[in-house]
Amino acid sequence: LILLQFGIYSQNEGFEPVVISIEGQETKLYDASHALVIGMSEYTEGWPNLPGVDKDVEAVKEVLEEIGFHVVVKQNLSKDGTDKAFVDFISEYGQDPENRLLFYFAGHGHTVKTSFGEVIGYIVPVDAPNPHDDLTGFQSKSMPMSRIEEYAKLTQSKHAIFFFDACFSGSLFSLSRAVPEVINYKTSKPVRQFITSGSEDETVPDESIFRQQFVLALTTRYADANNDGYLTGSELGKFLQDNVINYSRNNQHPQYGKIRNQYLDKGDFVFVLDNGEGGYETNNTNNGNINGTTSRDPKRSFGNIKLYSEITGTLYLDNKEIGTISEGSNVPLNN
């Protein structure tokens, strides 16, 4: 037991805990924050290359490090390499119940319908053949999403959230939808959450709208639906779904929710947003008190507008890239 406890402490040594305020009481929510970012861009067996994934990986890594995550990046992996990346990461960082883990995959995804009507989703490693030419070879060299569900259950950390910038059937994880709510002690309960960038039979563009909106959500307060300074996984899922559907002109429909498991669906992943003074609040504790505030600047006013665009282009607001908009589109801008 002493050796085990020392091993867990060593894993988190040098990483910052996350302290939040719940109903006026300061609570340490996480000991450390770790992220695994996997990008597949250089396909070799019949799938089109995705050069935009390299940009996505760099952008996601940068924003996660800004908000206090230790980030591990893996790129252009085989099936065995992908499995090893997940297993090694979970073994190294996912054994402490007080950690939070974030997984982000960018690459091709594919859904196969079986002869008896079930759908099986796969993330596609770089050496997997095209399923339309070699379905058996594809299935042997791709990773079924059921394996991801196994990873989620093997992780001992309290909160884990999985992002897939790829399209799958919305029923892959038997997700239960979550309603965003005010931060409370439910956030201390375990949870496994999943967010995909599109649903079955949809094509994800190489210039990722999903990634643009993911970065926007973590660097602004647009996704913070209840304006409390915290972004939950449920709020982020709703924000990504609404905005990606809008900016893709209803061609891409993200799916989100919690795993349908009575032991892993009670909590909610939490990001601490910009404290209103130009920095990101992670812990910054001083004698047990939070240094600064996560409440909104009282001098600011927040509201919602809808922009009607007569042209196609890229929209920026306060020097922040919102995303690509199309001629004739209505763009909601919240908070």
Side-chain angles (χ1 to χ4, degrees):
L1 283 174
I2 291 173
L3 289 174
L4 177 61
Q5 291 170 351
F6 178 78
I8 291 175
Y9 175 78
S10 298
Q11 290 175 3
N12 290 330
E13 189 174 5
F15 298 114
E16 299 285 357
V18 177
V19 178
I20 68 172
S21 177
I22 299 178
E23 299 173 8
Q25 180 177 339
E26 292 169 8
T27 301
K28 186 176 74 170
L29 191 58
Y30 308 113
D31 281 343
S33 307
H34 302 282
L36 174 64
V37 179
I38 297 177
M40 307 287 192
S41 60
E42 299 176 3
Y43 285 84
T44 60
E45 299 297 329
W47 290 86
N49 287 337
L50 297 172
V53 164
D54 294 337
K55 179 180 176 182
D56 296 340
V57 167
E58 185 59 33
V60 170
K61 176 179 182 290
E62 181 178 342
V63 71
L64 289 175
E65 287 179 339
E66 283 182 1
I67 61 174
F69 278 81
H70 159 244
V71 181
V72 175
V73 173
K74 300 290 183 180
Q75 293 182 270
N76 298 321
L77 304 173
S78 65
K79 177 184 178 181
D80 289 343
T82 304
D83 184 72
K84 186 176 187 301
F86 276 99
V87 171
D88 288 352
F89 181 82
I90 292 170
S91 297
E92 181 72 17
Y93 304 111
Q95 302 309 304
D96 185 345
E98 300 308 314
N99 283 351
R100 62 173 169 175
L101 300 188
L102 185 150
F103 301 83
Y104 193 104
F105 172 85
H108 283 298
H110 187 69
T111 300
V112 174
K113 293 184 179 180
T114 66
S115 59
F116 49 86
E118 186 179 359
V119 293
I120 301 175
Y122 295 86
I123 61 175
V124 184
V126 293
D127 62 344
N130 188 314
H132 300 294
D133 300 327
D134 181 5
L135 179 59
T136 300
F138 168 80
Q139 291 175 315
S140 69
K141 289 202 168 185
S142 296
M143 179 172 290
M145 297 301 281
S146 58
R147 181 66 174 138
I148 303 297
E149 191 169 354
E150 291 178 26
Y151 294 143
K153 293 177 180 178
L154 290 172
T155 300
Q156 300 301 306
S157 297
K158 178 171 54 184
H159 291 173
I161 191 166
F162 295 76
F163 297 87
F164 297 95
D165 195 356
C167 291
F168 309 101
S169 166
S171 63
L172 289 176
F173 298 103
S174 299
L175 298 178
S176 61
R177 292 296 291 273
V179 179
E181 57 182 312
V182 176
I183 288 287
N184 59 37
Y185 287 100
K186 285 184 65 178
T187 59
S188 66
K189 297 182 182 297
V191 73
R192 302 291 180 265
Q193 290 168 282
F194 301 90
I195 304 175
T196 71
S197 65
S199 60
E200 183 182 359
D201 297 329
E202 295 180 347
T203 301
V204 173
D206 187 38
E207 185 63 30
S208 175
I209 300 171
F210 183 85
R211 185 265 301 167
Q212 292 171 356
Q213 297 304 307
F214 175 83
V215 171
L216 178 70
L218 296 186
T219 54
T220 68
R221 294 192 174 183
Y222 298 130
D224 181 12
N226 58 12
N227 297 340
D228 64 354
Y230 303 115
L231 176 64
T232 66
S234 301
E235 288 176 319
L236 180 54
K238 180 69 164 58
F239 175 83
L240 290 171
Q241 185 177 72
D242 290 348
N243 282 21
V244 172
I245 289 174
N246 179 66
Y247 294 132
S248 69
R249 302 188 71 179
N250 208 34
N251 290 317
Q252 197 175 332
H253 298 79
Q255 309 293 307
Y256 74 96
K258 300 178 181 180
I259 192 171
R260 187 166 293 147
N261 180 294
Q262 62 177 326
Y263 304 108
L264 296 172
D265 65 353
K266 302 297 189 296
D268 214 329
F269 200 94
V270 179
F271 299 93
V272 182
L273 297 178
D274 183 354
N275 62 12
E277 298 173 353
Y280 292 90
E281 192 79 48
T282 52
N283 75 317
N284 293 330
T285 56
N286 182 13
N287 297 324
N289 295 319
I290 293 180
N291 179 17
T293 176
T294 54
S295 63
R296 293 186 175 276
D297 185 340
K299 297 179 181 179
R300 295 183 179 181
S301 296
F302 292 84
N304 304 322
I305 63 173
K306 182 177 287 187
L307 171 71
Y308 173 76
S309 177
E310 297 182 347
I311 61 173
T312 296
T314 302
L315 173 65
Y316 293 82
L317 182 65
D318 294 338
N319 295 319
K320 294 285 187 180
E321 182 178 341
I322 305 299
T324 302
I325 58 175
S326 303
E327 179 182 356
S329 63
N330 287 297
V331 183
L333 300 170
N334 301 319
N335 299 327

